[in-house]
Amino acid sequence: MASLFTEQFSFSKGDSAVVIGLGRFGSSVADALTRLGHDVMGIDRDPELVQVWADMLTHAVQADSTNVNTMRQLGVADFSHAIIGIGSDLSASLMTLMALTELGIKDIWIKALTPEHGKIARRIGAHHVVSPEADMGERVAHLITARMMDFIEFDDGFAIAKIRAPESTHNQVLFDSRVREKFGVTVVGVKRAQTDFQHAVPETRILPDDLLIVSGPTRKIQQFANDTERKKDK
């Protein structure tokens, strides 16, 4: 889930982020952001977790994130983004959120333990609410029920997916297959075995074993991905 988070909501190169709570979710996000080239401060109450991540993050600090003065002294207000990944203490999660809003952080993400937690967090000031278990469950369901190989859905029902080229596109250029007209989705790019990824244009020819990157409404992408299966059923 952490890799999906960083793929779907990528920050500008060189942005700084503070990750509060270095459990499974928080540490995965912190590690992914670090590998993408961002400066990351990790904060946790547990000294053992801080010690584990001390050499892997830009900074790792043992501190009480619910204390706004402590956070101010750590320079948290200077970070571009804050991610609250506290895993089991709802009170600590919300108090940390209040501290971050008081510091004026412009972009605050929070891991929601429950739907109610997420609603309260938005009211307090969270800009983004992440529900890892629910989001992953929905993503897996889409992968199972459609011929998708990977899938990312945004809040407004728009999605990007990687699928195998449906039969209706085989051995045709995109202009002739009229994918957008028939299915309401856009083929963004094509990946062919042993060749580099190429951005799709109307003259791009699709071969049977090609992988397509497509974008559009989730429901329409599912219909497009399942086009081959419907043909087989006839």
Side-chain angles (χ1 to χ4, degrees), residues 88-104:
S88 59
D89 190 334
L90 188 148
S91 176
S93 173
L94 294 177
M95 290 179 66
T96 296
L97 173 58
M98 288 189 285
L100 293 176
T101 57
E102 186 172 337
L103 291 175

Side-chain angles (χ1 to χ4, degrees), residues 5 9 79-84 97 100-111 118 120-130 155:
F5 169 87
F9 306 107
F79 283 81
S80 304
H81 311 274
I83 300 97
I84 303 172
L97 173 58
L100 293 176
T101 57
E102 186 172 337
L103 291 175
I105 303 293
K106 301 294 185 183
D107 189 40
I108 303 174
W109 302 72
I110 188 167
K111 174 186 175 181
I120 296 171
R122 287 191 183 279
R123 291 172 184 168
I124 293 176
H127 303 100
H128 311 277
V129 174
V130 181
D155 292 340

Side-chain angles (χ1 to χ4, degrees), residues 1-232:
M1 181 64 204
S3 62
L4 288 178
F5 169 87
T6 53
E7 289 168 8
Q8 183 172 347
F9 306 107
S10 58
F11 302 151
S12 299
K13 182 69 174 178
D15 273 2
S16 60
V18 56
V19 178
I20 301 165
L22 294 174
R24 184 170 57 182
F25 174 76
S27 61
S28 296
V29 171
D31 180 52
L33 289 171
T34 299
R35 286 187 282 105
L36 288 170
H38 303 289
D39 291 329
V40 179
M41 173 187 281
I43 299 176
D44 201 288
R45 285 182 174 179
D46 187 338
E48 293 185 3
L49 284 176
V50 171
Q51 184 63 35
V52 167
W53 288 96
D55 294 332
M56 291 178 267
L57 304 180
T58 310
H59 306 283
V61 182
Q62 179 190 0
D64 178 5
S65 61
T66 66
N67 188 312
V68 66
N69 291 325
T70 298
M71 300 287 270
R72 184 177 287 110
Q73 291 170 5
L74 290 174
V76 170
D78 296 329
F79 283 81
S80 304
H81 311 274
I83 300 97
I84 303 172
I86 296 173
S88 59
D89 190 334
L90 188 148
S91 176
S93 173
L94 294 177
M95 290 179 66
T96 296
L97 173 58
M98 288 189 285
L100 293 176
T101 57
E102 186 172 337
L103 291 175
I105 303 293
K106 301 294 185 183
D107 189 40
I108 303 174
W109 302 72
I110 188 167
K111 174 186 175 181
L113 308 179
T114 64
E116 292 74 17
H117 180 193
K119 290 179 182 178
I120 296 171
R122 287 191 183 279
R123 291 172 184 168
I124 293 176
H127 303 100
H128 311 277
V129 174
V130 181
S131 302
E133 290 78 11
D135 292 346
M136 180 58 76
E138 184 169 349
R139 177 171 179 264
V140 170
H142 283 297
L143 295 176
I144 291 172
T145 59
R147 298 178 67 250
M148 300 183 195
M149 302 176 67
D150 209 346
F151 171 86
I152 298 174
E153 185 173 32
F154 297 86
D155 292 340
D156 57 0
F158 183 89
I160 297 175
K162 178 170 69 174
I163 66 173
R164 295 196 181 279
E167 287 182 8
S168 58
T169 64
H170 291 179
N171 302 310
Q172 299 183 72
V173 297
L174 286 173
F175 179 83
D176 292 337
S177 61
R178 297 160 53 212
V179 170
R180 189 178 302 177
E181 179 181 337
K182 291 180 179 178
F183 297 95
V185 302
T186 300
V187 178
V188 178
V190 179
K191 180 65 176 73
R192 188 165 297 157
Q194 299 180 341
T195 63
D196 294 334
F197 174 87
Q198 58 177 309
H199 293 283
V201 296
E203 295 76 24
T204 299
R205 181 171 294 276
I206 306 301
L207 300 182
D209 292 329
D210 285 349
L211 300 180
L212 307 182
I213 306 301
V214 299
S215 64
T218 303
R219 177 179 56 82
K220 293 186 176 182
I221 289 179
Q222 289 176 322
Q223 292 172 347
F224 180 53
N226 289 329
D227 187 47
T228 297
E229 293 183 358
R230 290 203 307 272
K231 288 179 178 294
K232 289 181 178 178

